[in-house]
Amino acid sequence: MTVHFVGAGPGSADLITVRGQRLLARCGVCLYPGSLTPADLLAHCPAGARLVDTARLTLEEIVDELLRGHREGHEVVRLCSGDPSIYSAVAEQARRLDAAGVPYDVTPGVPAFAAAAAVLGSELTVPEVGQSLVITRARARSTAMPPGEDLATLGASGTTMALHLAVNRIEQVVAELLPRYGPDCPAAAVALASQPGEVVVRGTLADIAEQVREAGITRAAVIFVGRVLAAADFPDSFLYSAARERA
């Protein structure tokens, strides 16, 4: 049978994809990140499916559960918060499945930064203001960042940034980005996007850290920094321009 890595989306149960919901509906085993998975999402699993909360499991224990489900002949769903392509630990799980000869596939999900941008009502690529996005994080109790991926280096171009796993290092983020973006650069933080308890703060690099602390944001947050957040006087996109030739 197949192991399915499925993006669970940012938190709201109705933001999983149709494909992801269908995979849940036929699985015999579902592994899920406990504190980040709503009960309404797990309700899509069939009665009798084995549900495994991975919040306190090690990587090897998680892989053991995936292999056990496969050996028992079940379709196995491994739910990943957001989208499996970023900060999901799918790579190391897939590496072990490859070594064991177990087939798997990946179903994308709505990433947290996209849900947070939707909450802000912001397009992150605005004509002639910003056309690129850097998705990164700040180092805390986590894997070391590769050389050249420090915030000062990544921010050298002034590109719009979306920072995951960084809210508890907000002062560090501000200190590293201030010289590149300036104190008046728009910034925002969205915690628990699409979930109950959603919190939004908007400001600039000069005051965003204080606002985050005052709002009590400590987890499940995305920080944005960039001029696109306050863009107003910008040209329309050429995509829909009357001057653009159409076949």
Side-chain angles (χ1 to χ4, degrees):
M1 304 301 285
T2 299
V3 172
H4 307 282
F5 293 101
V6 175
S12 180
D14 62 357
L15 284 179
I16 193 170
T17 64
V18 173
R19 181 184 298 177
Q21 183 177 326
R22 287 173 177 167
L23 288 170
L24 281 176
R26 70 171 195 252
C27 74
V29 179
C30 176
L31 282 72
Y32 66 97
S35 62
L36 300 173
T37 306
D40 288 351
L41 191 55
L42 296 177
H44 292 302
C45 297
R50 184 165 74 247
L51 306 181
V52 180
D53 183 354
T54 62
R56 297 187 179 278
L57 300 185
T58 65
L59 173 61
E60 298 307 331
E61 289 170 335
I62 290 169
V63 173
D64 285 346
E65 288 287 351
L66 297 177
L67 296 178
R68 175 188 169 191
H70 172 73
R71 288 194 303 268
E72 292 175 350
H74 297 299
E75 292 283 347
V76 181
V77 168
R78 170 57 167 134
L79 283 176
C80 309
S81 60
D83 178 82
S85 67
I86 53 173
Y87 308 127
S88 66
V90 162
E92 51 261 49
Q93 294 171 65
R95 179 167 59 188
R96 285 160 172 78
L97 294 182
D98 284 335
V102 174
Y104 62 87
D105 56 32
V106 180
T107 296
V110 177
F113 80 85
V119 170
L120 293 173
S122 294
E123 182 177 353
L124 300 178
T125 53
V126 175
E128 297 188 13
V129 179
Q131 290 288 287
S132 303
L133 176 67
V134 171
I135 303 170
T136 188
R137 63 174 176 84
R139 184 179 181 185
R141 294 184 301 167
S142 55
T143 308
M145 296 294 284
E149 291 194 15
D150 57 281
L151 294 184
T153 300
L154 292 176
S157 66
T159 303
T160 305
M161 277 197 177
L163 294 108
H164 292 243
L165 309 170
V167 72
N168 287 318
R169 294 291 185 273
I170 184 68
E171 290 84 5
Q172 171 194 332
V173 168
V174 168
E176 294 189 43
L177 295 184
L178 267 173
R180 302 296 191 182
Y181 291 79
D184 65 338
C185 183
V190 181
L192 300 170
S194 83
Q195 303 176 51
E198 177 183 280
V199 180
V200 179
V201 297
R202 302 172 186 260
T204 65
L205 276 179
D207 63 13
I208 193 65
E210 181 181 1
Q211 289 200 56
V212 164
R213 295 308 183 197
E214 288 180 350
I217 298 174
T218 59
R219 68 183 186 91
V222 179
I223 301 166
F224 292 104
V225 178
R227 302 287 171 186
V228 296
L229 297 175
D233 186 17
F234 56 88
D236 293 335
S237 171
F238 185 65
L239 178 63
Y240 300 113
S241 170
R244 180 171 175 265
E245 291 186 9
R246 289 171 169 77

